[in-house]
């Protein structure tokens, strides 16, 4: 339920299973889950910036 709340306003890919993510994050606090989501959302941008720096 916490993941659904955190991500309620986000557009998720159709293949994202919140149930699967929840099963892998058993014991995480709400703050842990929020940080996980923020980090995951920023990862593609981080990867893109790294590729641009190498060019």
């Amino acid at each position: 339920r916490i993941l659904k709340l955190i991500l309620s306003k986000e557009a998720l890919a159709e293949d994202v299973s919140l149930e699967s993510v929840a099963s892998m994050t058993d014991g995480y606090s709400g703050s842990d889950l929020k940080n996980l989501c923020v980090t995951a959302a920023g990862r593609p941008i981080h990867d893109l910036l790294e590729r641009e720096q190498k060019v």
Side-chain angles (χ1 to χ4, degrees), residues 3 19-29 32-33 36:
L3 285 170
E19 291 79 17
S20 179
V21 174
S23 72
M24 292 185 279
T25 56
D26 188 39
Y28 281 38
S29 69
D32 293 336
L33 293 171
L36 176 69

Side-chain angles (χ1 to χ4, degrees), residues 28-46:
Y28 281 38
S29 69
S31 179
D32 293 336
L33 293 171
K34 177 68 175 178
N35 286 332
L36 176 69
C37 293
V38 168
T39 301
R43 187 64 193 194
I45 295 168
H46 179 267

Side-chain angles (χ1 to χ4, degrees), residues 10-11 15-17 21 25 27 31 34 38 43-44 51-53:
E10 302 300 326
D15 63 344
V16 172
S17 167
V21 174
T25 56
S31 179
K34 177 68 175 178
V38 168
R43 187 64 193 194
R51 282 194 302 267
E52 289 295 319
Q53 287 178 353

